[in-house]
Amino acid sequence: TTTVTIREYMIGGFGMIPGTIAYVYLGATLNNIADVSSGGTGGGPVQLSLMIGGTIIAIVGVCYITYIAKKELKRIMDKYDEEEKAKEIEMQGATTTAVKDAEADSLKIEVESNSKTEQAQG
């Protein structure tokens, strides 16, 4: 079993589409660069330069988007960790308070019992 909902799974699936498009574009462009550089198609050095420039821009864009996504994911995970620690501290505090309350009640009962015993004897 998993805690990932269908909605989250679908969003993640759609989130992969831009990366898929970028990789298909890069593959097609590299193939076209190979064709142009070997003289297989017309266009000459201008077309070759544009294709190489476009490919470099696409690679830089993919790297930049990956960097931004990792940075945002780290921020989200750090926030999640802080919330979990706060919940843990809150639970420990509640447990400590409950133990102290139980000890106080026990002491109160003991004092009341002692005072009733003293009253019965005196």
Side-chain angles (χ1 to χ4, degrees):
T1 58
T2 179
T3 60
V4 177
T5 64
I6 291 259
R7 178 179 171 269
E8 291 168 339
Y9 182 80
M10 295 297 288
I11 290 171
F14 285 119
M16 293 177 8
I17 292 173
T20 302
I21 291 170
Y23 290 122
V24 169
Y25 170 78
L26 288 173
T29 303
L30 291 173
N31 188 32
N32 289 338
I33 289 172
D35 286 346
V36 169
S37 65
S38 67
T41 62
V46 173
Q47 184 178 6
L48 181 61
S49 299
L50 290 174
M51 284 187 186
I52 291 172
T55 302
I56 291 171
I57 290 171
I59 291 170
V60 168
V62 167
C63 291
Y64 179 71
I65 289 171
T66 301
Y67 168 77
I68 295 296
K70 285 182 179 180
K71 188 175 171 182
E72 182 66 15
L73 182 60
K74 182 179 180 343
R75 186 187 67 77
I76 290 169
M77 292 304 296
D78 288 346
K79 182 179 177 183
Y80 176 78
D81 288 344
E82 288 175 9
E83 290 173 357
E84 287 297 312
K85 285 179 184 176
K87 286 180 185 176
E88 185 177 318
I89 289 170
E90 184 179 310
M91 289 299 291
Q92 287 175 351
T95 303
T96 302
T97 302
V99 168
K100 286 181 181 178
D101 288 346
E103 288 173 351
D105 288 344
S106 175
L107 186 59
K108 187 185 223 182
I109 291 170
E110 186 178 323
V111 168
E112 289 174 357
S113 175
N114 287 343
S115 74
K116 286 182 183 177
T117 304
E118 288 175 2
Q119 286 176 358
Q121 289 177 354

